């Protein structure tokens, strides 16, 4: 190959290398630091937060209700035909199974049907046999309930019209620590023994 052709080829290769280096530098420097950080997960879901609701005694309460106690938070409604009473029955068995340790655990039932679930309705419902002792029932305006459900990533939706309507809703029970922050979740099909084991293990971890 003539010397001139070799020289031109070398120049061309050098220019290509420089172009690739510049392109790499540009891509690296133009990355948004926030995008990189967004990919880093702490492993702690964003569950829980501020809320203002009314308890079964008609008293206004907020998220400080959770402070200083382990709390199981469950969203449901008093007209629920199956999952809600079943979940409360499971939590009753958990409460009984924990014995003295249950004194450090409170249960909060948040209604997703504020149109029907008045404080008195919640009080009557939660006093039913087979339900845990001392359950705190919460209701409020539609806007207040929506805000609380959003904070806990809880889904609910009205289905049907007239007096016969029902509510679809999430079936998860959230375990919150004494600092008011999320610890773990209990699925509706976990059962009393496994639910108790999960709660006790979380308490030991703190």
């Amino acid at each position: 190959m003539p010397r001139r052709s070799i020289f031109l080829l070398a120049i061309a290769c050098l220019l290509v290398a420089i172009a690739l280096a510049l392109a790499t530098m540009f891509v690296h420097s133009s990355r948004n630091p926030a995008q990189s950080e967004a990919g880093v997960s702490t492993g702690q879901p964003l569950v829980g937060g501020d809320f203002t609701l009314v308890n079964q005694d008609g008293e206004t309460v907020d998220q400080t209700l959770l402070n200083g106690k382990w709390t199981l938070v469950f969203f449901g409604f008093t007209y629920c035909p199956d999952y809600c009473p079943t979940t409360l029955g499971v939590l009753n068995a958990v409460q009984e199974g924990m014995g003295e340790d249950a004194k450090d655990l409170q249960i909060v039932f948040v209604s997703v049907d504020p149109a029907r679930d008045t404080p008195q309705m919640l009080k009557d419902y939660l006093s039913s046999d087979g339900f845990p002792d001392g359950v705190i029932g919460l209701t409020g305006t539609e806007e207040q309930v929506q805000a609380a459900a959003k904070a806990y990533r809880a889904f609910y939706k009205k289905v049907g019209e007239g007096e016969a309507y029902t509510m679809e809703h999430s079936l998860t029970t959230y375990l919150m620590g004494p600092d008011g922050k999320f610890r773990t979740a209990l699925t509706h099909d976990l059962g009393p023994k496994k639910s108790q084991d999960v709660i006790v293990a979380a308490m030991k971890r703190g």
Side-chain angles (χ1 to χ4, degrees):
M1 181 181 291
R3 182 174 298 178
R4 179 180 175 82
S5 297
I6 295 174
F7 177 75
L8 291 175
L9 179 61
I11 291 295
C13 291
L14 179 61
L15 290 174
V16 169
I18 292 172
L20 288 173
L22 290 172
T24 301
M25 290 174 61
F26 174 76
V27 170
H28 179 76
S29 63
S30 64
R31 289 181 64 187
N32 187 341
Q35 290 177 331
S36 299
E37 292 173 5
V40 179
S41 172
T42 62
Q44 187 78 335
L46 297 176
V47 174
D50 295 351
F51 63 81
T52 301
L53 294 165
V54 177
N55 67 19
Q56 70 265 46
D57 295 318
E59 301 166 338
T60 299
V61 299
D62 59 22
Q63 66 281 353
T64 60
L65 173 71
L66 279 57
N67 294 348
K69 282 251 186 184
W70 288 88
T71 307
L72 291 169
V73 180
F74 173 62
F75 288 78
F77 64 115
T78 65
Y79 283 76
C80 181
D82 38 36
Y83 289 114
C84 299
T86 299
T87 298
L88 287 167
V90 167
L91 296 183
N92 181 58
V94 168
Q95 190 182 67
E96 292 179 348
M98 290 180 65
E100 277 298 303
D101 290 336
K103 69 180 185 300
D104 297 321
L105 181 70
Q106 64 182 354
I107 300 170
V108 173
F109 179 89
V110 183
S111 172
V112 296
D113 187 15
R116 293 186 295 198
D117 286 345
T118 63
Q120 187 60 52
M121 179 69 76
L122 283 172
K123 194 168 191 174
D124 294 342
Y125 178 74
L126 294 173
S127 64
S128 301
D129 292 338
F131 287 177
D133 292 331
V135 179
I136 301 170
L138 300 180
T139 186
T141 66
E142 183 62 43
E143 292 74 21
Q144 289 173 327
V145 171
Q146 285 178 356
K150 184 177 180 181
Y152 280 82
R153 308 298 190 265
F155 162 83
Y156 72 93
K157 181 178 71 173
K158 181 179 178 180
V159 179
E161 299 295 335
E163 296 181 359
Y165 75 85
T166 188
M167 303 293 293
E168 291 183 355
H169 60 90
S170 302
L171 306 178
T172 302
T173 300
Y174 307 95
L175 178 64
M176 314 299 287
D179 56 0
K181 294 183 179 180
F182 175 77
R183 291 297 191 274
T184 191
L186 308 177
T187 58
H188 77 280
D189 56 351
L190 201 56
K193 182 60 171 66
K194 290 183 179 178
S195 295
Q196 181 179 328
D197 291 344
V198 170
I199 295 167
V200 171
M203 286 179 162
K204 289 181 179 178
R205 290 193 301 269

